[in-house]
Every structure is written in C-alpha cells, then in structure tokens.
Amino acid sequence: MLSLTLLLLITLEQYSGLNTPLAWVVTGLAAAVAADGLRLMAAKPRASFIAFLLAQLCYSAAFWVQNSAAMVWWLPALLIAAAIVGFFLVLPQLERRIVPVSLMGLTLLQLIWAGGQIWLTTHTLASLVGVLASLTMAASAVLLAINTYRRMLPGGQPLVSLTCLLSQALIVVSVLLLP
C-alpha cells in the first residue's frame, strides 16, 4: 500500500490538469490504493475487488482517450478466443468464483485491447510501455489467482506484489512519456 501511495504522490506531482490520460491514471491509482487498503482489512474482500476493477477501468480509459485511429478488430477477436480457451480450461476449479473471474477477465481483456490498440496504431515507446503494462497486470492477476486458489507458489505473494506494482508503474510511465 505504501508503494502505491508513493507512486500516486509522484504521479500527482507530474499532474498539470491538462493531460486527460494522466487524470485517468491518477484516478486509477487512487482506486488501487483504496483496493489495497481494503484488502489489508481482510473483512472487505468484495469492496477491494470492486475497487481494483475500477482501477483497471480507469487505466484502460487512459489508453482509450488516446485512440484517434480506426479500431483494430482482429486484436479483440484474438483476445476473446484466448480468454474463452483459458476460461474453459480452469472452469472445473472455479466453483463459486465464476462471476468474479469473468468480470476480472473481461476487464483485463479490454485493458489489453486498449493498450494494444494504441500500440498497433502509433508504434511509439509510450504505447509499447502501455501494452507491456497491460500484459503485466494480466500476468499479475493470473499469478494471484494461482497463488490464492490453486496452490501456493514459492515466493508467490512477493511476485504478485511486484508484478502488480510494476504494471501500475509502467502505466504511469507510458502516460508520462506522451508527447
């Protein structure tokens, strides 16, 4: 929580009020700090989950507001196909978690689509960092799910924390690199 708060403060220092993508990232970081705080209070897992989904939606909005080109439709088709295969592979282990897993999957899918859309249409360093951040956030969510619901990974919790913080720091960097 401290790392995310520091990242939020650093980002706020760079905020000039004129940069719409940065405003979305600041909002997403605030939601992520709230999600982390709620997660630490163990009694509020649903609220933490919703706040983290809100953070992901804010991050994707930071990418979507940058899009001025025509949509690349093969990317969401590919992502949806991969998500369907992944969903059916883990379906037997989901039990009561089908709805939260689906919501998280759809949110991450559109986040990756947003980051990938910008990268495919602009080919800038900022957009490359953004799509890598989106993929890292998805990897972090998968690691968290495996570590929490499947089996404990060696060094799993630090790895989840590292990838989650890294993805959010990369999102900040991608927006700060915008011209």
Side-chain angles (χ1 to χ4, degrees), residues 26-84:
V26 165
T27 306
L29 283 172
V33 169
D36 207 27
L38 290 167
R39 183 188 59 81
L40 292 174
M41 294 176 12
K44 306 282 186 187
R46 216 174 251 155
S48 173
F49 180 77
I50 291 168
F52 195 64
L53 284 179
L54 177 64
Q56 292 173 354
L57 289 171
C58 289
Y59 296 146
S60 62
F63 292 132
W64 286 123
V65 297
Q66 299 173 49
N67 187 34
S68 59
M71 288 293 190
V72 178
W73 289 106
W74 63 264
L75 181 59
L78 177 70
L79 291 171
I80 289 169
I84 288 171

Side-chain angles (χ1 to χ4, degrees), residues 93-106:
Q93 286 87 28
L94 292 180
E95 297 169 2
R96 301 181 330 242
R97 295 182 281 279
I98 289 177
V99 172
V101 167
S102 299
L103 284 173
M104 179 70 77
L106 289 172

